[in-house]
Amino acid sequence: MTTTRSSLNPGRFLLGFLLRRNLPAGLCFFGVSFFCFPLQYILEIFFSRPSPDGILYLYMSTRAHIYTGLSLAVMFAMVPALSLLLAIIFWLYVDNVKGNTIPKEFNAVPVEFIGAEDTLPSRGLMLVDGEDATIDLTVTGPRAIVSSMRRGDVRVQVNLTSVTTVGTHPMTYTYATSDNININDISIQGSRSTITVQVAPLYSKSVPVQASVEGDVAEGYIHMSEQLAVEPAAITLSGKEEDVDQVESVRVKVDLTDVSSTIQKEFSYELLDSQGNLVENDGIRVSHKRVAVTAPVYIIKELPLVVSFKQAAGSMEADTRWDLEYDTIQVAGEPASLESLNEITLGEVDLAAILSDRDDIQLNITMPAGCYNLSGYTSTKLTIRFRNLETRAFSVSNITPIGLSDGQSFSRITNSVDVLLRGPAAQLEEVTEEDIRVVVDLTNFVSSGTYNVDAIVLVDGHDKVGAVGSPPTVACKITSK
């Protein structure tokens, strides 16, 4: 039957391990044990020897047998443990303090080149040969340190910051260890004294990044492809000229299948040749490992177009019939921008400014912030008609000021103004010149002088009749009293 290590008595295995690992430890163990065993018999003989007076013999003989029994119990319980402890302490002392060193080999340790990715490119140089160099190492040191070391605990570094020219350069190297290992506690021997590298001119070119969008977004949403943004917009490639010139484009793939919100994340990309084939070359360095892509995905909403009207006597919305060429519009935007938006107002139309019975007005459609027009038209035509209204012209000389301070006086230069009134035919027929007042508001005129002021036309006693067209202008003079 084959006996495995796990089936052995733990005490016997540990004892055998110590004896095999260090002879002084075994000697210490047996020396202590050998001394303790004879000691019990010496005590037994001494305390059991007859005394001349007999009394002492009886006392000591009895006591000796008692103590000898206890000593035997203690011996079998504690002496092995004490011997083992002393052996371990002595073994550790000899193994660590007295320089019990061992060698350990690490093969094909990769060489790190300091300055290859930053210093050399900044000088228009690049490492073309030797960058995959490895070296065999032999590490010697205390068993406790070396036995637990791994390949990654020791590194070989070549400093290229001193290289300023193209050509072949034999370079010395240094060692670095992990933080938990003091390099002064070990010695390292490499399989060669120098590492030869070859440096050549660096060739670079900029290649634009093209986004390839795949998949359809969720129903009710739209991908705004014209707003897709890639950062950076171009990747700088560096390396050997024959390697770099293989690349004609950089492609980043963006999958929008069933997406219902804008995507903002970083993606990896592919290098492609002129035929669209993938270029895989470790000798090509890139300025960015990933690119940031913003792919707007907006919700779609149909909104009504509405118009507000400025009304006055003779120009009421109730007396009109109007319609829009386009009365709805399809827009897209972030859900936060559209969720509270229920209509788009085209603006305010002053009905009193429309003189004819029918008029067409082109109104621009202004998109709210964060919304985009999907319908294709940017304006709509408002057609408006007045119903059952007529117009009549008057020359009015009843011009009165308002808003003068106590220290101001008003004198008019304009004696009369022409006004055009609109309203139902029956009321319009009853209007006389005395019913019309032209009011000049001078509240904001504080200095003396001559001014041309837009006046307000009021028609007293006829609530459905009002002035239309541009307000009349009154020339007047303001003086201080």
Side-chain angles (χ1 to χ4, degrees), residues 10 21 61 78 114 118 133 154 156 174 183-184 186 202 264 271 280 297-298 305 314 327 341 343 389 413-414:
R21 299 297 287 182
S61 177
M78 298 186 62
I114 300 174
D118 45 21
V154 59
V156 180
T174 58
I183 197 170
N184 296 320
I186 59 175
L202 180 69
Q264 289 181 303
L271 304 181
E280 295 180 321
V297 176
Y298 294 157
L305 299 175
D327 57 3
L341 188 63
E343 62 184 23
L389 297 179
I413 299 174
T414 299

Side-chain angles (χ1 to χ4, degrees), residues 48 58 65 67 111 115 138 155 188 228 277 283 301 391 397 425 443 458 464:
S48 64
L58 177 62
H65 282 289
Y67 287 126
V111 178
T138 301
R155 306 191 306 278
I188 307 174
L228 186 143
N277 301 316
K301 196 171 184 179
T391 58
S397 59
T443 304
L458 301 177
K464 293 185 178 182

Side-chain angles (χ1 to χ4, degrees), residues 225-435:
S225 57
E226 68 278 4
Q227 297 180 35
L228 186 143
V230 180
E231 179 63 34
I235 299 294
T236 300
L237 309 180
S238 304
K240 296 180 181 179
E241 184 173 359
E242 59 268 26
D243 292 339
V244 173
D245 278 342
Q246 296 180 65
V247 182
E248 290 295 330
S249 63
V250 175
R251 179 178 64 189
V252 55
K253 293 182 178 180
V254 183
D255 187 4
L256 297 182
T257 303
D258 292 330
V259 170
S260 59
S261 62
T262 296
I263 289 181
Q264 289 181 303
K265 61 183 295 187
E266 290 188 345
F267 291 85
S268 58
Y269 55 83
E270 300 172 330
L271 304 181
L272 305 178
D273 62 16
S274 58
Q275 304 300 318
N277 301 316
L278 189 65
V279 176
E280 295 180 321
N281 191 325
D282 294 336
I284 300 177
R285 294 180 174 87
V286 296
S287 58
H288 298 78
K289 297 294 185 183
R290 299 171 70 84
V291 294
V293 177
T294 301
V297 176
Y298 294 157
I299 191 172
I300 300 173
K301 196 171 184 179
E302 190 86 13
L303 296 175
L305 299 175
V306 300
V307 182
S308 63
F309 294 101
K310 182 180 180 180
Q311 303 180 78
S315 300
M316 303 298 293
E317 182 183 355
D319 296 324
T320 66
R321 175 177 292 176
W322 60 272
D323 59 77
L324 290 169
E325 180 183 11
Y326 305 112
D327 57 3
T328 64
I329 190 169
Q330 192 176 63
V331 300
E334 294 284 2
S337 301
L338 283 179
E339 62 184 4
S340 61
L341 188 63
N342 298 314
E343 62 184 23
I344 294 180
T345 301
L346 300 176
E348 185 181 62
V349 175
D350 186 359
L351 293 178
I354 301 174
L355 301 181
S356 60
D357 293 340
R358 183 184 185 279
D359 201 2
D360 294 329
I361 304 172
Q362 202 70 25
L363 300 175
N364 291 327
I365 303 173
T366 302
M367 287 291 101
C371 298
Y372 299 89
N373 185 346
L374 300 181
S375 296
Y377 45 83
T378 58
S379 65
T380 183
K381 182 174 67 175
L382 169 67
T383 300
I384 189 167
R385 302 174 181 83
F386 286 95
R387 300 179 302 170
N388 304 318
L389 297 179
E390 295 183 2
T391 58
R392 182 180 174 187
F394 290 87
S395 179
V396 181
S397 59
N398 184 12
I399 303 174
T400 58
I402 61 172
L404 286 174
S405 66
D406 294 339
Q408 291 178 314
S409 61
F410 165 82
S411 60
R412 63 183 188 181
I413 299 174
T414 299
N415 292 318
S416 64
V417 294
D418 295 329
V419 297
L420 183 66
L421 302 184
R422 180 168 57 202
Q427 284 199 22
L428 196 59
E429 186 68 28
E430 297 175 357
V431 176
T432 64
E433 182 179 344
E434 288 74 20
D435 298 328

